[in-house]
Amino acid sequence: MKYSSIILATLLLTFTNCKSPVMKDSTIVSISIDIKASPSEVWNLITNKEYSKELGNVFDKNSFVESDWKLGSAVHFKYEPDKIVSTGTITKLIQNELIQVDYDFSGFKYEERYTIEANNADSKLAIYAGPYTSDFEAQKVVWNNWLTKVKELIEK
């Protein structure tokens, strides 16, 4: 127990004294929305190619995501007609529950994690994305708009 306290104190001091601007100012977007649909319906919508462009337009006009949504597969963020902007890899996948996509931008690690939880007859869709630095507030708005668009498409 004594050693656990020492390790915890050391970790806290290390993180609070971190001078890296990326670590100091970075933030993770962590938001969720309740949707009147089953987890499988939510899963099918967010992984369905038919909705990719409509969901992508929330981020930027003419953008979309392309993947076969299998563990180890690439996830391409693209602009029409076929310009790849970034590519990540699906590192965790549990059908109807979890998708994690990891990106490496020349040593800068970024992650997107989508979770779906059953909530009675409804679902809770959550996104964890980041880290972000100076654009955190703008990214939080965009991700919230994306969740709202998913809800709108399923519940219409």
Side-chain angles (χ1 to χ4, degrees):
M1 186 71 161
K2 179 180 174 184
Y3 293 111
S4 298
S5 298
I6 292 170
I7 292 169
L8 179 59
T10 303
L11 286 172
L12 286 172
L13 284 172
T14 302
F15 289 126
T16 56
N17 291 326
C18 180
K19 302 294 185 205
S20 166
V22 172
M23 287 297 290
K24 183 179 170 193
D25 298 330
S26 66
T27 315
I28 305 295
V29 171
S30 176
I31 53 178
S32 64
I33 196 166
D34 292 323
I35 300 174
K36 293 182 186 338
S38 69
S40 64
E41 290 171 305
V42 175
W43 177 275
N44 289 335
L45 188 125
I46 65 176
T47 61
N48 190 321
K49 188 176 180 176
E50 288 182 38
Y51 295 103
S52 180
K53 291 182 182 176
E54 199 164 353
L55 292 172
N57 279 327
V58 171
F59 290 97
D60 203 359
K61 187 176 179 171
N62 298 320
S63 68
F64 63 101
V65 173
E66 185 176 83
S67 181
D68 65 7
W69 302 107
K70 295 180 181 171
L71 187 61
S73 291
V75 176
H76 301 290
F77 184 76
K78 295 180 160 186
Y79 282 100
E80 290 189 82
D82 203 29
K83 180 184 176 196
I84 296 175
V85 178
S86 61
T87 299
T89 304
I90 298 174
T91 56
K92 295 179 184 171
L93 185 78
I94 302 171
Q95 188 162 347
N96 301 328
E97 292 180 25
L98 169 73
I99 302 169
Q100 181 170 316
V101 183
D102 292 337
Y103 295 84
D104 185 344
F105 300 108
S106 301
F108 181 78
K109 307 286 187 202
Y110 169 85
E111 172 186 308
E112 292 176 358
R113 189 173 347 123
Y114 307 80
T115 62
I116 307 167
E117 294 178 23
N119 184 13
N120 297 320
D122 299 339
S123 297
K124 178 179 183 177
L125 174 60
I127 181 72
Y128 306 89
Y132 292 102
T133 53
S134 61
D135 63 342
F136 170 72
E137 290 301 324
Q139 292 298 327
K140 195 162 58 169
V141 169
V142 170
W143 279 112
N144 190 55
N145 291 343
W146 185 85
L147 288 171
T148 302
K149 186 63 160 179
V150 171
K151 179 181 176 81
E152 173 189 306
L153 290 170
I154 288 179
E155 293 182 358
K156 67 177 179 179

